[in-house]
Amino acid sequence: MATKQLASWAVNLDAASLPESVRQCALRSLYNYIGCTIGGSNHATVSKACDALSPFFGRETSSLLGHEGTKKVDAQHAALINGIASHVHDYDDTHLATIIHPTGPVASALLAYAEYSGGTSGESLLCALTAGIEASCKIGLAVWPEHYDIGWHITSSTGNVGAAVAVGKLMQLSEDQMAHAIGIAAVQVVGLREMFGSDTKSFHPGRAAQSGLLAALLAEKGYTSSPQALEAKRGWANVVAGGGTPKLEQYVSELSQKWEIEANAFKPFPCGIVCHPAIDGCIQLHHEMKSKGLRVQDVQKVDATVHPLVIELTSKRAPKDGLEGKFSVFHGGAVGLLYGKAGPAQYADEVVTDEGVVSIRDRIDATPDKNLKPDEVYLTVHFADGTELKRHVLHAVGSLEVPMTDEQLTEKFVDQVALVLGSDGAKEASDTAWKIAEARDVTGVLGRL
Amino acid sequence: MATKQLASWAVNLDAASLPESVRQCALRSLYNYIGCTIGGSNHATVSKACDALSPFFGRETSSLLGHEGTKKVDAQHAALINGIASHVHDYDDTHLATIIHPTGPVASALLAYAEYSGGTSGESLLCALTAGIEASCKIGLAVWPEHYDIGWHITSSTGNVGAAVAVGKLMQLSEDQMAHAIGIAAVQVVGLREMFGSDTKSFHPGRAAQSGLLAALLAEKGYTSSPQALEAKRGWANVVAGGGTPKLEQYVSELSQKWEIEANAFKPFPCGIVCHPAIDGCIQLHHEMKSKGLRVQDVQKVDATVHPLVIELTSKRAPKDGLEGKFSVFHGGAVGLLYGKAGPAQYADEVVTDEGVVSIRDRIDATPDKNLKPDEVYLTVHFADGTELKRHVLHAVGSLEVPMTDEQLTEKFVDQVALVLGSDGAKEASDTAWKIAEARDVTGVLGRL
């Protein structure tokens, strides 16, 4: 039942009837995706892919977000390359219950197809995006955690289906065609965790996007798969999760009752999530010091009490470059205190090795306490004159309890996009991206990003 | 070790040092592939794929074998579409120990790339094909039978790696690049057995071909994966076979010692392998009757003693069309007796329902005997005048014990290709295909197929 039920639900999902909260989540997910994708567009991993694939580019219909020069390529390559860019900085969204980064595969396929086909409204786009994200996350929940534990990269191994559902929705496939599209997508299982740390990690969501798009294109022309693709004995869920799919039917039956997109979170800082509470607290302290006229240079010592995972994963005392900086809670805290920011610019190699930053970093200490929750921190800042500032962060910004505000999302967008398009270009792109929902036809909008 | 060892072996495989028997097997595999691919090229499944994908075709470098009209497309789409065509009649080769159909994914990628890059000799092509087939079959043996039992279509889920190795070999990748290509291919695991019976079954080897080609293209430009992609805890073998890869190292260490391509078999008849012994025996009886001046119309009864699987899988007494005919040992036997042939033409709808064929079909009986081997049959033909002819087939033609001769392969090629290119075109294509190994540059040769 699950395959047909998912297909039927997606085909019948009505843009005008989407709850406003869901629509907002879809817009925020899309906006964040656009920022991450432009932000990743000049990464070496993306450049290598473009270099390898440019001889195969077809008709130029679909934008490579953020790119100068070869701006448009065929829709299949746009899906692949934007998908790579969306994930390459590990800065994309997270459905926390499954650690799926859902928007990358879905939106990469969807935007590429929207531009190819022309005439899609912003509202249709958000509805299709929602359908795709719900599809990915529901089937992800069904196989979580076995599937991830086995070694699959769950973002891409569910994103293929999400991408097919989203594109199929925009195509207005029939229920039968949509079921076949889901099946054709489901046989293309991409992504192994062994690849984490290599270029291939971000290839995963890109290829998932492209696979889902391909599935929908084939189904549209009558290509058949199986109407039990997800739930059959030798179908997707059993094969990728080592057997047993009772949860699949359950989760699919909850479509439209519980919206997974409402549980989609955004990363405020481009580093491991465990050090986010400390960075958040340090940024708050930066603002408090500023308002009180205290100088960070006068700080003598900072004591942080953190969840033990913070020490285990991010305790690099003397990071040597940007990449190592991402594994140093001390660097994250230092730039938070100094600049009130821990964006991509603060993880540049030259910032990580900057004398002023190093000097503050060396004054920070962290003590593990297993009674804390992972997104909690206690901070005390000691000044030479005996002044003390204290801060307790119960939930870090970017958690479901304290989601990033639209303003914070905008800051994140502009900070990362400015590194590619410059400051003015970034602000312009941000304005354009926020307005995408209002577009009668998104084609023109995407061409400007 | 397995990934690096496979990469190193492939990079260093020397065309001039291939054993002659291996070279012959490679040529026969390639020849059979070309026949099957042209034979499948006008199938509805292929037409649907072309219909869906033609808007995305890029630079026209690589031939769609057998196609009129849009003859050349970009290499990535050529790999996909030829791969679909190669498998669509279930008439391709079989590595019996793993039931992998190895040549489809490997050759589809390889020929597409050879034409794209230009200047490849026939001998280099055979060497690269051999490397790819050995790669697919060795890693297939490592995960057999768990992997297939779980529900993966092992042809495509190993063919991705084989295709990458073959293309990488032609590209002359370094050992490091080849290891990365294997890794990028290995994350793209395509093919679920649930799809058997639908268009998506033959999509599997096509997508595997395309995925392997893509992997090699990326690796050539420095795209990285993992040098332990196949054997790591969360690498390919453990993930797709439910853990445990001691066999992987073992099989990879046997490269060049035991050649899997020598155990690659060819199907003489386009139907389930279990009824091949009965068809083989009936064809032998056709020739015996002819030489003795006996008429098949005078046959009163045919008694076949067969392995029980024949009854279980192919006992359709009154097939209604070509597809059902493939599941009828009675139809296969009847056309064998009548025409001395059971090629694609004998499985046309109008032949399956032909009165003369039906009349012979109804005179054939089959009795199961579990003491027979699966490729064994006893046949007795009773004539009205009391004459009896007997035939015992110990191993059916197409088995490893009684491989198809080059003449039989040629007949198979011409019979299926004639349905697409006509009789003269088929013979011409056959001559061209047999001579491919001698070509200084295969580009011109492929353009004529």
Side-chain angles (χ1 to χ4, degrees):
Chain A
M1 281 291 289
T3 307
K4 283 187 163 187
Q5 205 171 344
L6 173 58
S8 171
W9 171 83
V11 165
N12 294 298
L13 188 67
D14 177 20
S17 313
L18 277 189
E20 178 53 26
S21 60
V22 169
R23 194 188 154 282
Q24 277 303 319
C25 289
L27 177 58
R28 283 162 53 89
S29 296
L30 183 59
Y31 174 82
N32 180 69
Y33 162 83
I34 293 170
C36 291
T37 305
I38 300 178
S41 64
N42 63 356
H43 191 283
T45 299
V46 177
S47 304
K48 281 185 257 185
C50 287
D51 191 18
L53 299 174
S54 60
F56 304 95
F57 290 163
R59 196 156 62 85
E60 298 171 359
T61 62
S62 304
S63 298
L64 296 180
L65 300 185
H67 285 243
E68 310 279 328
T70 308
K71 176 73 188 167
K72 291 201 177 190
V73 300
D74 65 275
Q76 291 194 68
H77 280 106
L80 172 62
I81 293 165
N82 285 332
I84 295 173
S86 77
H87 191 59
V88 74
H89 284 305
D90 287 309
Y91 205 15
D92 42 357
D93 54 357
T94 309
H95 177 252
L96 294 170
T98 57
I99 64 166
I100 290 172
H101 308 292
T103 307
V106 175
S108 299
L110 189 60
L111 298 189
Y113 181 77
E115 267 186 299
Y116 163 74
S117 61
T120 303
S121 74
E123 293 303 325
S124 300
L125 194 75
L126 290 188
C127 181
L129 179 71
T130 303
I133 288 176
E134 294 301 309
S136 293
C137 294
K138 291 296 187 193
I139 67 170
L141 283 164
V143 296
W144 176 266
E146 299 84 0
H147 177 63
Y148 191 76
D149 290 345
I150 290 168
W152 293 105
H153 187 187
I154 191 169
T155 290
S156 42
S157 56
T158 61
N160 51 350
V161 173
V165 167
V167 174
K169 176 73 185 162
L170 218 54
M171 279 176 176
Q172 303 187 290
L173 294 185
S174 71
E175 292 188 22
D176 271 359
Q177 288 172 319
M178 183 68 93
H180 288 303
I182 291 168
I184 305 169
V187 304
Q188 303 172 71
V189 190
V190 174
L192 299 177
R193 286 172 62 193
E194 169 61 18
M195 299 300 155
F196 288 8
S198 80
D199 291 331
T200 299
K201 182 178 193 238
S202 44
F203 172 75
H204 294 163
R207 188 61 167 173
Q210 200 186 27
S211 298
L213 170 59
L214 176 58
L217 290 166
L218 288 169
E220 187 185 26
K221 297 296 182 184
Y223 212 86
T224 61
S225 63
S226 159
Q228 295 89 38
L230 297 174
E231 69 273 23
K233 185 182 169 201
R234 287 174 177 136
W236 180 84
N238 280 317
V239 170
V240 304
T245 58
K247 289 190 294 179
L248 182 65
E249 303 291 342
Q250 177 204 320
Y251 281 110
V252 168
S253 72
E254 289 170 7
L255 283 160
S256 275
Q257 288 168 36
K258 184 173 180 311
W259 295 91
E260 300 307 327
I261 202 170
E262 293 189 332
N264 194 26
F266 306 101
K267 262 189 175 180
F269 316 117
C271 58
I273 202 163
V274 294
C275 53
H276 289 199
I279 298 173
D280 183 9
C282 285
I283 291 173
Q284 294 182 29
L285 287 163
H286 166 89
H287 292 297
E288 185 178 348
M289 287 190 274
K290 206 166 170 184
S291 72
K292 292 183 172 165
L294 296 165
R295 288 162 25 105
V296 66
Q297 287 75 6
D298 298 331
V299 167
Q300 202 167 40
K301 193 159 178 292
V302 180
D303 288 315
T305 308
V306 298
H307 186 272
L309 267 180
V310 179
I311 305 294
E312 196 178 310
L313 299 174
T314 62
S315 61
K316 268 203 187 293
R317 281 258 46 137
K320 287 189 299 289
D321 56 24
L323 187 60
E324 289 197 3
K326 295 189 176 203
F327 298 92
S328 173
V329 66
F330 310 107
H331 174 73
V335 293
L337 286 172
L338 262 169
Y339 306 118
K341 257 185 189 300
Q346 286 73 43
Y347 283 90
D349 293 347
E350 58 274 22
V351 175
V352 174
T353 53
D354 176 83
E355 266 184 38
V357 173
V358 170
S359 158
I360 302 299
R361 184 178 80 196
D362 291 344
R363 300 177 211 179
I364 303 178
D365 264 335
T367 312
D369 181 343
K370 65 180 167 39
N371 296 313
L372 264 64
K373 279 177 302 195
D375 62 340
E376 191 174 10
V377 75
Y378 286 92
L379 292 164
T380 307
V381 184
H382 306 273
F383 288 83
D385 66 358
T387 306
E388 277 187 13
L389 298 182
K390 285 179 178 291
R391 186 67 55 155
H392 174 211
V393 176
L394 185 56
H395 298 290
V397 62
S399 64
L400 289 180
E401 292 82 0
V402 186
M404 288 178 81
T405 62
D406 286 355
E407 291 66 34
Q408 287 169 324
L409 273 183
T410 304
E411 187 183 347
K412 172 184 171 180
F413 184 116
V414 171
D415 282 349
Q416 62 179 327
V417 170
L419 299 176
V420 177
L421 302 182
S423 184
D424 289 349
K427 284 175 195 150
E428 205 177 305
S430 169
D431 289 345
T432 304
W434 273 128
K435 287 188 194 132
I436 200 164
E438 299 154 25
R440 267 199 234 166
D441 180 357
V442 298
T443 312
V445 178
L446 293 170
R448 295 207 304 280
L449 289 169
Chain B
M1 279 292 290
T3 307
K4 284 189 162 186
Q5 203 172 346
L6 173 58
S8 170
W9 172 83
V11 166
N12 294 299
L13 188 67
D14 176 21
S17 313
L18 277 189
E20 178 55 26
S21 60
V22 169
R23 194 188 154 282
Q24 276 303 320
C25 289
L27 176 59
R28 283 162 53 89
S29 296
L30 182 60
Y31 175 82
N32 181 68
Y33 162 84
I34 293 170
C36 291
T37 305
I38 300 178
S41 64
N42 63 356
H43 190 283
T45 299
V46 177
S47 304
K48 281 185 258 185
C50 287
D51 192 18
L53 299 175
S54 59
F56 304 96
F57 289 163
R59 194 156 62 87
E60 299 172 357
T61 61
S62 305
S63 299
L64 297 179
L65 300 186
H67 284 243
E68 309 279 327
T70 308
K71 176 74 186 168
K72 290 201 178 189
V73 299
D74 65 274
Q76 290 194 68
H77 281 106
L80 172 62
I81 293 166
N82 285 332
I84 294 174
S86 76
H87 191 58
V88 75
H89 283 305
D90 287 308
Y91 206 15
D92 42 359
D93 52 357
T94 308
H95 177 251
L96 294 169
T98 56
I99 64 167
I100 291 172
H101 307 292
T103 307
V106 175
S108 299
L110 188 60
L111 298 188
Y113 180 78
E115 267 186 300
Y116 163 74
S117 60
T120 302
S121 73
E123 292 304 325
S124 299
L125 194 76
L126 290 188
C127 181
L129 180 72
T130 303
I133 289 177
E134 295 301 308
S136 292
C137 294
K138 291 296 186 193
I139 69 170
L141 283 164
V143 296
W144 176 266
E146 300 83 0
H147 177 64
Y148 191 77
D149 290 345
I150 290 168
W152 292 104
H153 187 187
I154 191 170
T155 290
S156 41
S157 56
T158 60
N160 50 350
V161 173
V165 167
V167 174
K169 175 73 186 164
L170 219 54
M171 281 176 176
Q172 303 185 289
L173 294 185
S174 70
E175 292 188 23
D176 270 358
Q177 288 172 319
M178 183 68 93
H180 287 303
I182 291 169
I184 305 168
V187 304
Q188 304 172 71
V189 189
V190 173
L192 299 177
R193 285 172 61 193
E194 169 61 18
M195 299 301 154
F196 289 9
S198 80
D199 291 331
T200 299
K201 182 178 193 237
S202 43
F203 172 75
H204 294 164
R207 189 61 167 171
Q210 201 185 27
S211 298
L213 170 59
L214 176 58
L217 289 167
L218 288 169
E220 188 185 25
K221 297 296 182 184
Y223 212 85
T224 60
S225 64
S226 158
Q228 294 89 37
L230 297 174
E231 68 273 24
K233 184 181 170 203
R234 285 173 178 136
W236 180 82
N238 279 317
V239 171
V240 304
T245 58
K247 287 190 295 180
L248 183 65
E249 303 292 342
Q250 177 204 322
Y251 281 110
V252 168
S253 73
E254 289 170 7
L255 282 161
S256 276
Q257 287 167 35
K258 184 174 181 308
W259 294 91
E260 299 308 325
I261 203 169
E262 293 189 330
N264 195 25
F266 306 100
K267 263 188 174 182
F269 316 119
C271 58
I273 201 164
V274 293
C275 53
H276 288 198
I279 298 173
D280 184 8
C282 285
I283 291 174
Q284 294 182 29
L285 286 162
H286 165 90
H287 292 298
E288 184 177 350
M289 286 190 274
K290 207 166 167 185
S291 72
K292 291 181 173 167
L294 296 166
R295 287 160 28 104
V296 67
Q297 287 76 6
D298 298 332
V299 167
Q300 203 167 38
K301 194 160 176 294
V302 180
D303 287 314
T305 308
V306 298
H307 186 272
L309 267 179
V310 179
I311 306 294
E312 196 179 310
L313 299 175
T314 62
S315 61
K316 267 203 189 295
R317 281 258 45 137
K320 288 189 298 292
D321 55 25
L323 187 59
E324 289 196 2
K326 295 189 177 202
F327 298 91
S328 173
V329 66
F330 311 109
H331 174 73
V335 293
L337 285 173
L338 262 169
Y339 306 118
K341 255 184 191 302
Q346 286 74 43
Y347 283 90
D349 293 347
E350 58 274 22
V351 175
V352 173
T353 55
D354 175 83
E355 266 184 39
V357 173
V358 171
S359 158
I360 302 299
R361 183 178 81 196
D362 290 344
R363 299 175 213 180
I364 303 177
D365 264 335
T367 311
D369 181 342
K370 65 180 168 40
N371 295 315
L372 265 63
K373 279 175 302 192
D375 63 340
E376 189 174 11
V377 75
Y378 286 90
L379 292 164
T380 308
V381 184
H382 306 272
F383 288 82
D385 66 358
T387 306
E388 277 187 11
L389 298 181
K390 285 178 179 290
R391 186 68 56 156
H392 174 212
V393 176
L394 185 58
H395 298 291
V397 62
S399 62
L400 288 180
E401 292 81 1
V402 187
M404 288 178 78
T405 62
D406 285 355
E407 292 65 36
Q408 287 169 324
L409 273 183
T410 303
E411 187 184 346
K412 172 183 171 180
F413 184 116
V414 170
D415 282 351
Q416 62 178 330
V417 171
L419 299 176
V420 177
L421 301 182
S423 182
D424 290 348
K427 283 175 195 149
E428 205 178 305
S430 169
D431 289 344
T432 305
W434 273 128
K435 287 189 193 132
I436 200 164
E438 299 155 25
R440 267 200 232 167
D441 180 357
V442 298
T443 313
V445 179
L446 294 170
R448 294 207 305 279
L449 290 169

